[in-house]
DNA sequence: ATGAGGATGTGACATTTGTCATCTATGAAT
DNA sequence: ATTCATAGATGACAAATGTCACATCCTCAT
């Protein structure tokens, strides 16, 4: 089984290579350190599996995978991720990745690779809770799972309603600056970048 | 790794046992042929993994698994299924199963077991298309109701994926200014004000 | 060839957004 | 009464966003 490794942290990709090659079934046929390199190397090497970091500078693993899958829909892309990447993970499956592995969890990489190799999809427990179709059976309310205050949740719903900071401030009788501050800490808490991602997050979790 | 096999077809469970025990890491600590037996044996043996057929007389694998998981939420239940069982599969995940394996696909059983053993969930491609949240991720037909070009729709999906203009431009190999222009006219056409409202619009219409 | 139309790019600009450090008021808790 | 925490406000700032007018190309039909 030929594997291509893409991770912009050289240390990670090097140790991955060692770990994987400890298994006689696996050969690492290439190592790259950027999304662009991932695309090029994949096209050139056509490995059985592409093992790629999700978060990379310039071109994220997602972008690279999207390009690759557009060209070769049968590509088997397995993502590496830290556990906070939940939003990316959803995206990963939407574009057709075969799974992901938590970086913390090195001993699970080889079994996961093999499972993907024989055509399975592989992922951890966390993602289940992120799936709108499954969430209903477990938790009644989703946003309160995170340590968000009442007010923060209220503000999120307004953002998800498409209101600007000014409009929210007028609705809640607070200053616009205060709203900005609130949103800033909400984004921090949820590990998101901007209000658009927040609105998306809201719809995916409600 | 201790495995309990439950299948009401004795032929299947016997051959499974042989297949699994060909791997030195695996011991089959029990074999049963009904859902009820599955519950009892599981309680008694506490195997690492319960490999169980979904369709069985009297008590289905699902019912058995539900009982087991109620008693031991950490139980690792892996279902065997024929490919036509799709409705059951959804249910399987809702009750907390770790995955399923197609019966046609014997060579994938061992990798799948190992992946589950180290904490992954495992399933095949088909289920993806059954998930409401992923079903429409590729081609939002509803958007074409509006007079949007192919490219405009593509850009909308990226906005709804939470990407910034810069990221979109890099993905599509266009300049950031062009993306801004596109979004500007999209907003005009759809009578929206900003990208957040656009993302919301997307999720409400797909 | 020529001109229309589409797709793409550029530069300028006003706004909005997100971040941060800091401040004030209020209301517990001691 | 003093301390402390919390909600809210402010101002400054950089970055992202949306708008617009205009400039290039390219292709295609005439």
């Amino acid at each position: 089984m030929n594997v291509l490794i893409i991770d912009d942290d050289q240390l990670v990709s090097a140790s991955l290579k060692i770990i994987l090659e400890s298994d006689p079934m696996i050969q690492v046929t290439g190592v790259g350190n950027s999304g662009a390199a991932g695309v090029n190397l994949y096209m050139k090497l056509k490995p059985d599996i592409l093992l790629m970091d999700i978060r990379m500078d310039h071109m994220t693993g997602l972008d690279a995978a999207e390009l690759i899958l557009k060209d070769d829909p049968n590509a088997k892309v397995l993502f590496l991720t830290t556990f906070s990447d939940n939003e990316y993970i959803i995206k990963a499956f939407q574009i057709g990745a075969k799974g992901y592995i938590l970086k913390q969890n090195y001993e699970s990489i080889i079994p996961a690779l093999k499972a993907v190799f024989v055509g399975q999809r592989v992922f951890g427990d966390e993602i289940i809770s992120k799936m709108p179709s499954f969430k209903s059976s477990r938790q009644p309310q989703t946003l309160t799972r995170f340590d968000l205050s009442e007010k923060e949740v209220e503000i999120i719903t307004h953002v998800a309603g498409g209101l600007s900071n000014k409009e929210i401030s007028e609705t809640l009788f607070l200053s616009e600056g205060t709203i900005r501050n609130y949103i800033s800490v909400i984004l921090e808490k949820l590990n998101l970048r901007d209000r658009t991602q927040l609105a998306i997050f809201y719809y995916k979790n409600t």
Side-chain angles (χ1 to χ4, degrees), chain A residues 119-181:
Chain A
Q120 301 292 319
R121 286 185 179 234
V122 170
F123 61 101
D125 275 347
E126 322 79 24
I127 197 175
I128 293 293
S129 62
K130 292 288 177 180
M131 294 186 190
S133 49
F134 291 152
K135 137 191 91 8
S136 52
S137 67
R138 296 219 176 274
Q139 302 94 351
Q141 4 223 31
T142 36
L143 282 185
T144 51
R145 266 191 281 129
F146 306 87
D147 55 341
L148 296 168
S149 74
E150 197 68 27
K151 184 133 280 173
E152 285 170 338
V153 173
E154 187 176 17
I155 288 176
I156 291 176
T157 64
H158 287 302
V159 171
L163 302 195
S164 68
N165 290 334
K166 190 140 158 319
E167 289 167 334
I168 298 176
S169 79
E170 284 160 2
T171 322
L172 300 183
F173 301 106
L174 294 174
S175 88
E176 186 186 341
T178 302
I179 303 300
R180 287 217 288 264
N181 290 337

Side-chain angles (χ1 to χ4, degrees), chain A residues 21 28 72 106 109 116 131-132 134 156 190 193 195 206:
Chain A
E21 293 196 322
V28 176
D72 176 6
Y106 274 151
I109 293 186
V116 167
M131 294 186 190
F134 291 152
I156 291 176
L190 298 178
R193 189 179 47 195
R195 69 200 300 104
T206 336

Side-chain angles (χ1 to χ4, degrees), chain A residues 2-6 29-30 34-52 64-65 67-77:
Chain A
N2 299 319
V3 179
L4 168 60
I5 299 174
I6 303 293
T29 55
S34 72
V39 178
N40 291 332
L41 285 173
Y42 184 85
M43 304 300 187
K44 201 178 303 171
L45 303 172
K46 289 283 179 181
D48 295 309
I49 298 181
L50 167 56
L51 183 61
M52 179 160 57
L67 289 175
I68 290 168
L69 286 163
K70 199 169 291 178
D71 181 69
D72 176 6
N74 295 319
K76 288 173 174 156
V77 181

